[in-house]
């Protein structure tokens, strides 16, 4: 388990890099139906790392979250995941009301939008509560054959069976993290090279990396675990850490910016100018929100004031300032 109060800055940097890759992918894939071939290949290659890395990092911190009281665990996930999911689902209705489907339950879990990740993450944290009594590796052992065998039309079940495996792999790895980081470079290098070779092959042959099979799962996990080893040894990238600490802002807000610029620019400007405008507006908009409003009600539900009863008659409800 990652010690309470100990912050691994490389985790913030990896999270920041992953969320920026997601935003960049959408910046090139949303404005036009066809992404430039070289760029499309690069993002197909990176699909082995993007969301799997985000899920894995969340799993790494599961034990730390579970060390808190149950009310804090549940409240934290509702305030910091369920709330922005709700708020930005409403934003999507406002800016894309013709395409939104608010009458569908799936819509409120992010179906057909980039917010699906938050819906899946919520389900993973709900299941993850059981790791108080069951080792997370059990969910991996059960989840791999379930991912292969379960065939359903429910996107939330399918996505949880796939991306949830990365979450519980991270939860399992958290108990071996110190051991892994103490290894030499040979195994991490082999893992990263094997995953990258698979990613190149998959991007060339399949396009976007296939899911719901053990082979892409194994290679993607190897790549993520290899990245963790190398990231822990790299020089600090404070700007990436800053993005990672505010990753929810960049994740939920980037698509609305992209969509608005796309509506205004596509058809009136040439593609290179449109892409440049999308990148500038989205980057600046997300930065401004993260800089000034990251702690606002747009991204986190405020803590409700709790009145405490005095333990004894005459005891003050709060310690006076300066005492």
């Amino acid at each position: 388990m990652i010690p309470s109060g100990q912050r691994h800055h490389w985790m913030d940097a990896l999270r920041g890099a992953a969320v920026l890759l997601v935003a960049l992918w959408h910046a090139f894939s949303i404005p036009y139906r066809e992404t430039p071939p070289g760029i499309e290949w690069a993002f197909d290659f990176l699909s082995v790392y993007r969301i799997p890395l985000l899920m894995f990092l969340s799993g790494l911190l599961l034990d730390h979250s579970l060390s808190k009281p149950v009310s804090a665990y549940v409240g934290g996930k509702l305030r910091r995941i369920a709330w922005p999911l709700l708020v930005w689902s409403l934003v999507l209705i406002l800016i894309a009301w013709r395409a939104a489907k608010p009458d569908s339950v799936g819509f409120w879990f992010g179906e057909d939008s980039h917010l699906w990740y938050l819906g899946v993450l919520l389900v993973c944290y709900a299941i993850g509560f059981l790791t108080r009594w069951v080792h997370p590796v059990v969910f991996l052992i059960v989840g791999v054959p379930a991912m292969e065998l379960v065939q359903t039309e429910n996107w939330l079940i399918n996505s949880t069976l796939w991306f949830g495996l990365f979450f519980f792999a991270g939860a399992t790895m958290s108990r071996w993290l110190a051991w892994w980081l103490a290894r030499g470079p040979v195994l991490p290098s082999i893992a990263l090279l094997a995953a990258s070779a698979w990613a190149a092959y998959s991007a060339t042959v399949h396009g976007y990396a296939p899911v719901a099979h053990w082979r892409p799962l194994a290679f993607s996990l190897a790549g993520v675990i290899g990245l963790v080893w190398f990231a822990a040894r790299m020089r600090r990238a404070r700007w990436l850490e800053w993005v990672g600490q505010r990753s929810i802002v960049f994740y939920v807000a980037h698509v609305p910016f992209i969509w608005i610029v796309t509506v205004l620019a596509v058809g009136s400007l040439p593609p290179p100018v449109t892409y440049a405008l999308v990148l500038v507006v989205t980057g600046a908009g997300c930065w401004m929100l993260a800089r000034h409003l990251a702690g606002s009600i747009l991204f986190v539900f405020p803590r409700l004031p709790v009145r405490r009863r005095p333990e004894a008659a005459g005891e003050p409800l709060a310690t006076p300032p300066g005492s």
Side-chain angles (χ1 to χ4, degrees):
M1 175 179 171
I2 297 173
S4 178
Q6 179 179 343
R7 189 171 196 98
H8 289 277
H9 298 286
W10 55 266
M11 288 189 187
D12 292 330
L14 278 181
R15 186 179 295 106
V19 79
L20 288 179
L21 286 177
V22 172
L24 278 172
W25 175 43
H26 287 147
F28 283 99
S29 62
I30 289 177
Y32 298 94
R33 292 184 179 181
E34 295 185 3
T35 306
I39 294 176
E40 184 176 10
W41 187 93
F43 284 117
D44 286 341
F45 174 93
L46 291 168
S47 67
V48 171
Y49 296 102
R50 283 191 305 263
I51 299 296
L53 182 56
L54 286 174
M55 295 298 295
F56 186 88
L57 291 171
S58 294
L60 273 180
L61 295 172
L62 177 62
D63 277 350
H64 174 67
S65 295
L66 287 171
S67 67
K68 303 174 183 178
V70 174
S71 59
Y73 178 83
V74 175
K77 306 317 170 192
L78 292 177
R79 291 176 59 244
R80 297 181 178 277
I81 301 176
W83 178 252
L85 173 58
L86 172 63
V87 169
W88 288 85
S89 294
L90 293 173
V91 170
L92 289 181
I93 293 175
L94 291 175
I95 68 171
W97 61 272
R98 291 182 180 178
K101 301 176 182 178
D103 57 333
S104 166
V105 174
F107 171 83
W108 299 101
F109 280 86
E111 185 177 12
D112 295 329
S113 78
H114 67 299
L115 300 177
W116 68 267
Y117 165 70
L118 298 184
V120 171
L121 193 59
L122 269 180
V123 175
C124 287
Y125 274 118
I127 299 172
F129 187 76
L130 299 176
T131 61
R132 281 175 172 263
W133 306 282
V134 181
H135 197 288
V137 75
V138 173
F139 293 94
L140 281 178
I141 295 172
V142 174
V144 172
M147 175 261 302
E148 294 270 7
L149 297 174
V150 173
Q151 301 293 328
T152 174
E153 295 181 357
N154 188 297
W155 72 272
L156 186 58
I157 294 175
N158 294 336
S159 297
T160 301
L161 284 172
W162 171 252
F163 290 105
L165 293 174
F166 295 96
F167 180 88
F168 288 105
T172 301
M173 188 67 183
S174 69
R175 307 185 182 195
W176 297 89
L177 185 61
W179 176 87
W180 174 245
L181 295 182
R183 300 304 93 196
V186 176
L187 283 178
S189 298
I190 293 173
L192 198 55
L193 287 173
S196 296
W198 161 259
Y201 165 79
S202 179
T204 303
V205 176
H206 301 292
Y208 190 87
V211 298
H213 298 291
W214 68 268
R215 189 175 291 108
L217 172 71
F219 280 111
S220 188
L221 272 177
V224 167
I225 293 171
L227 274 178
V228 164
W229 189 93
F230 282 100
R233 286 162 170 76
M234 293 178 64
R235 293 181 59 183
R236 289 184 63 178
R238 295 182 184 275
W239 69 274
L240 271 182
E241 293 173 18
W242 185 86
V243 173
Q245 291 161 10
R246 298 157 181 81
S247 59
I248 187 66
V249 178
F250 285 84
Y251 190 89
V252 299
H254 76 274
V255 166
F257 281 116
I258 294 170
W259 192 87
I260 291 171
V261 175
T262 296
V263 169
L264 297 176
V266 170
S268 59
L269 296 174
V273 177
T274 299
Y275 285 130
L277 193 60
V278 164
L279 291 172
V280 170
V281 171
T282 302
C286 288
W287 181 86
M288 289 291 289
L289 289 176
R291 177 70 176 81
H292 299 289
L293 296 173
S296 74
I297 200 169
L298 286 173
F299 304 104
V300 57
F301 191 83
R303 292 182 181 274
L304 298 177
V306 178
R307 296 188 64 182
R308 297 177 57 188
R309 293 183 178 181
E311 296 181 2
E315 179 182 345
L317 289 174
T319 303
S323 61

